[in-house]
Amino acid sequence: MARARLSSSFHWMAAPAVIFAAGMIVFPFGYAIWLSLSDVALGADPRFIGLGNFARLLADEEFWNGLRLTLFLYVVSLSLQLVLGTWLGLLLARSRSAQGLVRTIMVSPFMLPPVVVGMMAIVILDPSFGIANWLLEQAGLPPGLWLSDPDTVMLTIAALDTWQWTPFVALIVMGGYLSLPQDVFEAAEIDGANGWWRFRRVTLPLLAPTLITAAVLRSVDILRFFDIIYLTTQGGPGTASTTLNILAYRRGFEFFDLGYASAIMVTLSAIVFGSVLVFTRLRRAVTW
Amino acid sequence: MVMRRLLRLADRIQLLIVLVILVLPIAWTFLSAFKPRTEVAAFPPRLFFTPTLENFVELFGRNDFLHNTLNSLIVACGSTLLGLALGAPATFAISWHRMSWPATATLFARMAPGTLFLLPWLLMFSAAGLVGSHLVLILTHAVITLPVVIWVLLPYFDGVPRELVESAQIDGARQDQILTRVVFPVVMPGIVVASILSFVFSWNYFLFALVLSGIETKTAIVASFNFIGEGVTNWGALMAAAVVIALPPLILTLLIQRRLVGGLAAGAVKG
């Protein structure tokens, strides 16, 4: 009797979550793929057109512009956050100071809703009354147009995301560093290795898996970056910040070009999954 | 020795600079919210002013922001509870049977761009007549909270001794009793972390409510987005709104700081 109960299964406890996921994630995902293969006009029956939307994509100047901007944001933001995050994380680990108020300050930016970061940016970076330009003026530097200039808008957006998420990367790096066997670093120091050599040949290889974890987390968020752009510029000026996600949103929800918008979204998803896959492979290669 | 002390000083200075860069924009926003309306957009910026609550009075009095904030609360609490109700038992089953595919599947949901699901949802929920309801926002935000719950809880459930469950089985406890009376008390700290993170993720989320909320169910975040679009922006009220929206996540995460980064990074390590 007891035996029978012991072998009993708890699988049914996952059933509600599985049903929910099937209805809210799997089915819509399939639906989105089907939409991307269809010509959908509001009020008319969708018509299957195969890869027609994707063919349109390849001929669309705005798609290539969006892809370029998405990759630009991705490369700039991710490199900035990894480099600054590693520097800051090691700094925190060395001074063992990520406690109390310091930690509160470190976690605050990435706990803020991105929309609030956008609202802050609108006021602080306003070309006419923002405090950023006032500070530049005091320092004798020329003022910037920030989000209003097609040439600087993407860099500004990358800077905003970097401000928000570098502390997160830093805390991950700090955690990774402190969990390493510290005698390795002591040994390297005793051997007389200089700082840069130690960093390149000892610290960095040991930290590589941690850094890749951080890179995966940030890749996913940066590639589908939406909130701050939509709030501050809505893709402008012109199309200077219309990344793929913004483009997909505008085509889908402002122009109701459902099939085409879905094709953009499916493409973007493929890019996200592809980058995660690459990093997962990479992690296997650098794990020691 | 002198060298060492100099290096330590250099570290302190670098850290101080970073902290100032992180704090200043937040402090400036909070400060601006308490400025008289006309001084928020003054140039040169005013550091000294008579603090006033008029921006908040404007925000809650003339606009329907209290209603929007309540909507945000309903959606964040609802989706957190739904995420827990679905996720906690599921995580127990996943952990007990050492299943690996559900975790990967939820990770997929966490990685996909929200816009991908949004069009199908809009079509599905329009057909069901649910667009604009709290229910649709709770359901869609649960897609955010469920993966958080599962990934945060999994290590906690993995830490529950199997003997604890087996002896309860021998004592003749029903399966649901085992979960609620034996396992849940042990993983309570994890449930607290999962609840807080879920609440914050749902509270902070913009995109789904942007499309799927109605006039009556607009969340605080969507409402403040609409302020910006209204042509002549009331900067004071906008800063006040930023403060109201920013406070819950900032306060809540104070409670779980120590586990915060681990919770956010959960899942990425194995995936």
Side-chain angles (χ1 to χ4, degrees):
Chain A
M1 188 63 196
R3 203 87 290 257
R5 274 211 204 95
L6 272 181
S7 66
S8 65
S9 144
F10 289 96
H11 280 106
W12 63 273
M13 286 186 180
V18 170
I19 293 168
F20 176 83
M24 289 297 292
I25 299 170
V26 179
F27 173 73
F29 181 63
Y31 199 167
I33 289 181
W34 181 74
L35 281 175
S36 75
L37 301 172
S38 310
D39 181 23
V40 203
L42 278 189
D45 281 334
R47 198 166 49 87
F48 183 83
I49 53 166
L51 293 175
N53 288 318
F54 291 92
R56 246 178 91 191
L57 215 65
L58 295 179
D60 184 353
E61 193 47 50
E62 278 201 61
F63 167 75
W64 291 108
N65 178 54
L67 183 64
R68 194 175 54 78
L69 295 174
T70 303
L71 294 180
F72 175 83
L73 182 67
Y74 180 51
V75 172
V76 173
S77 283
L78 187 65
S79 352
L80 276 176
Q81 289 169 34
L82 288 180
V83 171
L84 294 173
T86 305
W87 163 71
L88 182 57
L90 293 176
L91 182 63
L92 287 170
R94 267 205 307 276
S95 43
R96 311 213 169 236
S97 55
Q99 309 284 330
L101 186 62
V102 174
R103 186 165 54 195
T104 305
I105 294 173
M106 292 286 292
V107 302
S108 293
F110 60 87
M111 277 300 107
L112 287 176
V115 166
V116 167
V117 176
M119 289 155 84
M120 286 161 50
I122 289 178
V123 170
I124 291 173
L125 300 178
D126 187 279
S128 57
F129 69 79
I131 189 172
N133 275 352
W134 181 77
L135 287 172
L136 286 180
E137 203 177 279
Q138 299 310 302
L141 295 166
L145 282 173
W146 310 108
L147 295 161
S148 323
D149 182 343
D151 291 333
T152 55
V153 61
M154 286 312 290
L155 274 175
T156 308
I157 288 164
L160 292 174
D161 191 56
T162 302
W163 175 83
Q164 191 173 16
W165 286 96
T166 297
F168 175 68
V169 176
L171 291 171
I172 290 185
V173 169
M174 182 192 79
Y177 181 84
L178 291 179
S179 70
L180 293 173
Q182 298 298 312
D183 47 347
V184 178
F185 302 110
E186 282 155 28
E189 200 166 352
I190 291 165
D191 284 351
N194 71 44
W196 177 247
W197 193 92
R198 257 183 295 155
F199 173 73
R200 274 285 288 118
R201 294 303 166 93
V202 184
T203 314
L204 209 53
L206 288 174
L207 272 181
T210 308
L211 284 173
I212 290 178
T213 299
V216 170
L217 289 165
R218 293 311 306 137
S219 297
V220 170
D221 283 348
I222 298 171
L223 285 170
R224 60 182 186 181
F225 200 75
F226 180 85
D227 297 12
I228 290 181
I229 302 182
Y230 197 68
L231 187 94
T232 55
T233 69
Q234 301 200 6
T239 55
S241 62
T242 307
T243 57
L244 283 186
N245 214 9
I246 299 284
L247 181 65
Y249 180 87
R250 305 199 66 163
R251 290 296 171 88
F253 298 98
E254 290 171 16
F255 300 100
F256 292 100
D257 196 347
L258 305 189
Y260 188 57
S262 299
I264 303 174
M265 289 163 196
V266 168
T267 308
L268 177 62
S269 308
I271 296 174
V272 176
F273 295 136
S275 77
V276 170
L277 216 64
V278 168
F279 276 121
T280 316
R281 283 277 159 83
L282 204 60
R283 178 163 49 205
R284 263 182 230 138
V286 298
T287 301
W288 30 275
Chain B
M1 201 56 207
V2 177
M3 188 64 188
R4 204 159 268 254
R5 213 171 269 173
L6 269 180
L7 279 178
R8 199 168 297 165
L9 184 68
D11 277 359
R12 301 248 139 184
I13 293 170
Q14 291 174 61
L15 191 61
L16 193 69
I17 293 171
V18 170
L19 292 178
V20 167
I21 293 173
L22 294 181
V23 160
L24 266 189
I26 302 176
W28 185 252
T29 305
F30 274 67
L31 217 57
S32 299
F34 292 96
K35 282 183 183 175
R37 190 181 164 164
T38 46
E39 293 187 24
V40 178
F43 195 89
R46 304 240 166 96
L47 199 51
F48 300 101
F49 55 91
T50 335
T52 161
L53 286 175
E54 68 179 56
N55 293 322
F56 292 90
V57 172
E58 162 98 18
L59 183 67
F60 287 112
R62 255 211 274 158
N63 297 285
D64 217 2
F65 206 70
L66 186 62
H67 191 80
N68 302 134
T69 310
L70 274 176
N71 285 333
S72 282
L73 265 179
I74 293 170
V75 173
C77 289
S79 61
T80 300
L81 287 175
L82 183 58
L84 281 175
L86 295 169
T91 314
F92 177 62
I94 292 167
S95 166
W96 186 260
H97 294 293
R98 304 208 165 93
M99 293 186 271
S100 61
W101 64 267
T104 315
T106 47
L107 191 66
F108 168 80
R110 198 170 147 180
M111 292 187 324
T115 39
L116 181 70
F117 300 117
L118 203 46
L119 269 181
W121 283 343
L122 182 63
L123 299 177
M124 283 159 58
F125 290 117
S126 304
L130 283 174
V131 171
S133 66
H134 284 124
L135 179 64
V136 76
L137 296 179
I138 290 172
L139 282 173
T140 51
H141 279 224
V143 171
I144 310 289
T145 60
L146 182 60
V148 175
V149 168
I150 292 180
W151 279 108
V152 169
L153 284 182
L154 201 54
Y156 290 90
F157 276 105
D158 284 344
V160 176
R162 292 183 88 84
E163 302 79 48
L164 199 65
V165 175
E166 282 162 356
S167 61
Q169 283 181 311
I170 292 168
D171 290 345
R174 287 202 320 266
Q175 286 194 327
D176 56 307
Q177 291 173 328
I178 292 176
L179 189 65
T180 53
R181 306 231 178 114
V182 179
V183 178
F184 279 175
V186 181
V187 298
M188 215 18 131
I191 291 183
V192 171
V193 176
S195 309
I196 289 179
L197 275 183
S198 295
F199 181 92
V200 171
F201 272 51
S202 172
W203 177 275
N204 288 1
Y205 209 84
F206 172 52
L207 179 62
F208 298 162
L210 177 66
V211 172
L212 296 171
S213 67
I215 294 169
E216 281 301 309
T217 55
K218 218 183 266 175
T219 58
I221 281 187
V222 175
S224 40
F225 168 71
N226 290 346
F227 285 169
I228 298 168
E230 276 166 9
V232 191
T233 306
N234 179 343
W235 301 109
L238 188 70
M239 290 297 93
V243 167
V244 172
I245 298 169
L247 274 180
L250 289 184
I251 292 171
L252 278 174
T253 47
L254 278 180
L255 304 173
I256 54 160
Q257 261 182 24
R258 221 174 276 271
R259 297 167 202 275
L260 190 59
V261 173
L264 287 178
V269 182
K270 276 195 205 161

